[in-house]
Amino acid sequence: MVVGEIAEAVDLLVVGGGPAGYAAALRGAQRGRDVLVIDRDGEDGVGGVCLRAGCIPSKALIEMADVAERAAGYASAGLSVGECSVDLGAFQAHKARIVGELTGGVRSLLAAAGVRVLAGDLRFTRPDQAVVRTPAGRAAFVEFRDVVIATGSRPAVLPHLVPDGVRVLDSTGALDLPELPATVAVVGAGYIGVELGTALAKLGSSVTLVEMAERILPEIDVALTRPVARRLDELGVTVLTAARAGEHRGTILHVRRGDRDVEVKADVVIVAVGRRPNTDELGLDRLGVTPGDDGLLHVAPDRTLRPHVAAVGDVTPGPALAHKGYAEAPVAVDALCGDRVTFQPAAIPAVVFADPEIATVGLSAAAARAEGLDPVVTTIPMAGNGRALTLRAPRGTVQLVSETGTGLVLGLHVVGPHASELVAEGTVAIEMGATVEDLADTVHVHPTVGEQVQEAARAAAGRGLHSASPARRPHHHLNKE
Ligand SMILES: Cc1cc2nc3c(=O)[nH]c(=O)nc-3n(C[C@H](O)[C@H](O)[C@H](O)COP(=O)(O)OP(=O)(O)OC[C@H]3O[C@@H](n4cnc5c(N)ncnc54)[C@H](O)[C@@H]3O)c2cc1C
């Protein structure tokens, strides 16, 4: 890249080195394209929010909190591990090692594929040109044939609770805590707020969740969130729903609930009220692209916005999840390479790493009805499952939604241990067009919590082994003889 007015020409430009961006870059290299990635943080930015400040760091914290809390609970099973102490400083070093290993791995993959990564803040200047402001403050111009926009998202802020990195934090700050605060208020009980609040409560903080909606995890079916609400209660987390967070003064967060003011003790406030796509400072007008009112780039089914321009990941509509970005990236690049492709997964799973975990894929019964389908809902409790009992976590349910008549699997909704792994079974079933018969006849390992999925399928097929079958028995045209 040349500094000044003379632009370097690149074949495929990828803006953003997060999951969506690096996957696009690797696909581009596989397709024989000469690829340049620009990330604000350069080589350090590889992995994006997910690897550096999202999925991976949050799961490292959740795992530590789970171990601490579960170990204490094993006393009645004969295991005593003594007093639990938490050193978040040491945890930060542990987390940095995991993140370093993963981001280093991605950097090696990119290097091996011949992808260059440069640091800088990119803005489009023409439909085929951008300026990159380098960390040294210089402006470098780059001309491109094709571009993939993968600039991701950032935490939404509340004007009266702007993160200061000490007393008011966003999710990134919350994952970087140097020590455990005695009292924490988490504003927003979506998945990020619930995950962080649960972990901090297990580590010993006194946590209050403040949520504007009538209940926690408002985007998830209430039947699935009930076990999580019960567990939060057991963990001593105060949950204030239908509540609006006001200002944080001293160590008090002022909360308005109905016509009452509530004072919440909070050394630290964590604001987790959603995320905003990074599309406002890219100079997209120069590219001939206009984001929607929601700031998102409303892409065509092949992820392009116009010829030579595609977008993937959190900047596009749909669930703002890393695996969606990974899945979209190759489609976008193939489209830019001239292939006729479309991003059309049958279902995208979503997980809340709460306690218990909630994982959901495909249609709920209500969504199936709204699509004019006639669903059968089969619910099997975790309670009788041998493996769940050995894990000391026999709570939750497996809910299988299938279609009356065909027996096609429409949705799988799991609350319980390892739900995040179990949901893959439903995703494959939906993507393959499997029926409840197929799932019921697939041999599952014993003892595993996955056996409850098989049991739900058996019950849906009218032949529950350890459970009653649903009242309304479906007739399966696709039954195997
Ligand atoms: C606390 C937390 C927990 C999460 N947990 C999960 C989880 O368990 N599972 C899951 O699937 N998802 C999770 N997510 C969401 C996940 O992190 C995102 O969906 C994912 O990172 C989006 O990937 P992306 O590539 O679109 O963008 P990002 O990961 O946001 O990457 C975008 C990159 O673009 C760069 N960039 C932005 N603007 C510019 C510019 N103008 N010029 C140059 N570079 C730029 C940024 O530096 C960044 O590196 C979590 C998020 C958070 C915050």
Side-chain angles (χ1 to χ4, degrees), residues 16 19-20 39-40 49-50 55 59 120-122 151-152 191 314 320-322:
D39 193 286
R40 207 165 257 168
V49 170
C50 178
C55 326
K59 266 82 256 179
D121 227 303
L122 181 138
T151 44
Y191 85 90
D314 282 7
L321 295 170

Side-chain angles (χ1 to χ4, degrees), residues 376-380 398-402 455-461 468-470:
V376 179
V377 180
T378 315
T379 304
I380 299 289
V398 168
Q399 189 194 81
L400 188 64
V401 180
S402 55
E455 186 59 29
R458 282 200 197 108
S469 296

Side-chain angles (χ1 to χ4, degrees), residues 55-71:
C55 326
I56 300 299
S58 64
K59 266 82 256 179
L61 184 73
I62 287 166
E63 179 62 17
M64 177 174 72
D66 274 355
V67 170
E69 203 250 345
R70 279 161 56 80

Side-chain angles (χ1 to χ4, degrees), residues 211 214 238-244 255-262:
E211 167 59 50
E214 298 290 327
T238 306
V239 179
L240 301 179
T241 51
R244 195 177 280 268
V255 175
R256 186 86 185 153
R257 210 175 180 210
D259 52 9
R260 282 196 318 125
D261 284 323
V262 184

Side-chain angles (χ1 to χ4, degrees), residues 103-130:
T103 53
V106 176
R107 275 198 293 276
S108 306
L109 285 174
L110 291 170
V115 173
R116 289 172 298 147
V117 181
L118 288 176
D121 227 303
L122 181 138
R123 262 185 96 83
F124 293 103
T125 46
R126 288 199 328 233
D128 61 349
Q129 195 190 64

